[in-house]
Amino acid sequence: MRNLISFNGLYNIFFVLGFFSLTYAMNLYIVFACAILFCLFLGSDVKHRKGFYVYLVSVVVLTVFYLLIHDGGAAYRIFKTLTLIWLTLYIPLVNDLRITKLLHCFLLLNAALIYIDVVLYNTLGFSLTTGVETHGFMRFSGVIEDSNFFSYLLFVYIYYLKVKTGHFNYFLIGAVLLSFSLSLIITMLGVIILFHVKKLWVLPNRNVKVLGGMILVGVFVIYYGMLFVLTTLRDIDTSNDYIAEKLVSLSLRFESQLEAFDALELNDDYCWGLGAGKTREITTEGMNLHNSYLQILLEMGIVCLLIVFACAFYCYYFLDKNFVLLFVAIFLLGNVLEIFYFPLLSFILFLSYIYRQEKVASKLDVSDNIVSC
């Protein structure tokens, strides 16, 4: 694809808009994604324009279909899904990918805000941003939608910096710890341990991805087995026990997910779902499922879920092997939080290609130096 060197900046802006709470909540990042796709279309050759025609046809057909069987909310959701997928598909075609100062400073600013808010709240009783109190802890998230979103995003960037430089950024790690996201902290510790398993990193690319796929399948089986077991924990007394409170919170999420399966079976809507935004109406606690995949299955049906899985497989296939561990970790965490519409999977592919292009450029520099000698 020609003349795409400037699109690196547009992708960086897209991710800032996708992660910033206001533009994420207002879906302004989707508007910007449409603008990027239009610009990519104008800058592409005949071969790559065929992909855009497929996008337009699929958007029109599926949007109209979901509008007819559900409502405008479902029609917009499928449009949003397809737009994010197509923007992700074209990441490997953009030349000279890199992290701009805008995106880098945005991430550092959010980490700094966590430190500032923790100090202000615990000394003066106020904070610059809003937070949520959980069992005596105030959880801040900077200018990102949620403390869990914040911790997941910073973890992805910490991983990228580790792979690129060989060192962990302890300033960012500290901010993640202060977010008190238990699921992410446990995952991060596991990843840090695996970073020291040297045999893992010398395996061929295919072997790494096969191993990652096997882990994904195994953990999915274990997770959904736990789903049926942990729903019995909701009667635990949590008055003075942080861990017990976390277990009960987890069991309530699992219980709402079981209710989602019951609703699908009752309405026989596995193919096309119940419609966007219906989750809160059918769960006893009136809460979202906190599961990217079940939420899509419940509201948009298995057709939409398979489209999302196809996009995830595309990302996985084109990943550099050094990012397989990160992708597996985040994809599994999608069972407890949104990781698709909050564009973490796309961001991982973006960072992987930045790293890959940096490696190629480094090898070329070495070759040039050898020739010049």
Side-chain angles (χ1 to χ4, degrees):
M1 192 173 289
R2 65 179 186 275
N3 300 325
L4 286 185
I5 222 171
S6 62
F7 286 101
N8 170 71
L10 294 178
Y11 268 95
N12 275 267
I13 295 172
F14 163 76
F15 285 117
V16 171
L17 295 176
F19 299 139
F20 179 45
S21 59
L22 181 63
T23 48
Y24 172 75
M26 297 179 64
N27 284 311
L28 294 180
Y29 75 114
I30 299 299
V31 176
F32 193 76
C34 293
I36 296 177
L37 286 175
F38 179 71
C39 293
L40 285 169
F41 173 78
L42 295 179
S44 63
D45 53 28
V46 175
K47 175 183 177 181
H48 292 108
R49 285 191 177 185
K50 293 179 181 179
F52 291 102
Y53 296 139
V54 174
Y55 164 71
L56 291 175
V57 171
S58 60
V59 163
V60 171
V61 172
L62 288 176
T63 299
V64 171
F65 181 78
Y66 273 93
L67 179 62
L68 293 175
I69 64 171
H70 290 308
D71 53 24
Y76 175 73
R77 181 72 62 81
I78 193 66
F79 164 75
K80 178 179 179 178
T81 303
L82 293 172
T83 299
L84 286 175
I85 286 174
W86 250 261
L87 194 69
T88 302
L89 296 181
Y90 278 88
I91 286 176
L93 301 178
V94 179
N95 301 319
D96 195 25
L97 288 174
R98 62 193 183 280
I99 297 291
T100 63
K101 290 183 178 180
L102 173 66
L103 180 55
H104 179 69
C105 291
F106 172 79
L107 296 170
L108 290 183
L109 172 64
N110 277 279
L113 280 173
I114 299 301
Y115 286 102
I116 293 171
D117 281 341
V118 167
V119 171
L120 288 176
Y121 182 79
N122 288 283
T123 57
L124 302 176
F126 73 93
S127 59
L128 299 178
T129 62
T130 58
V132 177
E133 187 172 359
T134 303
H135 208 76
F137 298 105
M138 185 60 79
R139 302 178 62 187
F140 296 103
S141 57
V143 293
I144 296 174
E145 178 77 9
D146 174 86
S147 60
N148 289 315
F149 284 160
F150 164 83
S151 60
Y152 285 27
L153 173 59
L154 253 64
F155 168 63
V156 169
Y157 198 52
I158 289 167
Y159 187 102
Y160 163 74
L161 293 176
K162 167 63 178 175
V163 172
K164 178 183 178 182
T165 66
H167 304 288
F168 285 109
N169 188 309
Y170 293 103
F171 175 75
L172 298 180
I173 290 176
V176 169
L177 294 176
L178 289 174
S179 72
F180 297 107
S181 175
L182 186 60
S183 60
L184 191 280
I185 291 172
I186 293 173
T187 301
M188 185 169 66
L189 291 174
V191 169
I192 290 174
I193 292 171
L194 289 174
F195 257 118
H196 293 87
V197 181
K198 295 181 179 180
K199 292 183 178 180
L200 180 65
W201 305 105
V202 297
L203 292 174
N205 185 66
R206 177 181 293 181
N207 292 10
V208 171
K209 291 184 177 179
V210 169
L211 179 60
M214 292 171 61
I215 293 172
L216 274 176
V217 173
V219 175
F220 262 75
V221 171
I222 294 172
Y223 175 86
Y224 288 100
M226 290 173 57
L227 189 154
F228 292 96
V229 174
L230 291 184
T231 51
T232 61
L233 295 174
R234 62 182 181 276
D235 295 326
I236 293 177
D237 178 17
T238 65
S239 57
N240 295 300
D241 192 335
Y242 175 73
I243 299 300
E245 179 177 305
K246 285 295 181 182
L247 287 174
V248 171
S249 173
L250 191 60
S251 71
L252 288 175
R253 294 183 184 187
F254 283 170
E255 189 168 352
S256 67
Q257 292 170 16
L258 285 175
E259 291 174 346
F261 278 120
D262 291 339
L264 283 170
E265 184 176 4
L266 179 64
N267 294 278
D268 195 24
D269 285 324
Y270 286 99
C271 284
W272 309 108
L274 303 176
K278 300 296 184 182
T279 303
R280 293 181 182 271
E281 298 178 11
I282 65 169
T283 55
T284 304
E285 300 295 327
M287 60 189 293
N288 285 322
L289 300 184
H290 292 86
N291 184 314
S292 297
Y293 318 118
L294 286 184
Q295 187 102 8
I296 294 173
L297 176 63
L298 174 66
E299 297 188 346
M300 301 298 292
I302 195 169
V303 173
C304 184
L305 181 63
L306 290 175
I307 293 173
V308 171
F309 277 169
C311 177
F313 179 80
Y314 175 90
C315 293
Y316 191 72
Y317 180 82
F318 283 99
L319 280 179
D320 184 276
K321 75 173 184 179
N322 292 286
F323 286 80
V324 169
L325 176 59
L326 174 63
F327 184 91
V328 169
I330 293 298
F331 194 80
L332 290 174
L333 287 173
N335 286 295
V336 295
L337 194 71
E338 170 57 51
I339 50 95
F340 176 71
Y341 295 111
F342 186 76
L344 281 177
L345 294 184
S346 303
F347 191 48
I348 293 172
L349 181 64
F350 179 72
L351 294 176
S352 174
Y353 262 84
I354 289 176
Y355 175 72
R356 178 175 293 180
Q357 292 182 8
E358 287 172 343
K359 282 200 306 183
V360 172
S362 177
K363 290 179 180 178
L364 290 175
D365 290 340
V366 171
S367 300
D368 290 342
N369 291 334
I370 294 175
V371 171
S372 62
C373 291

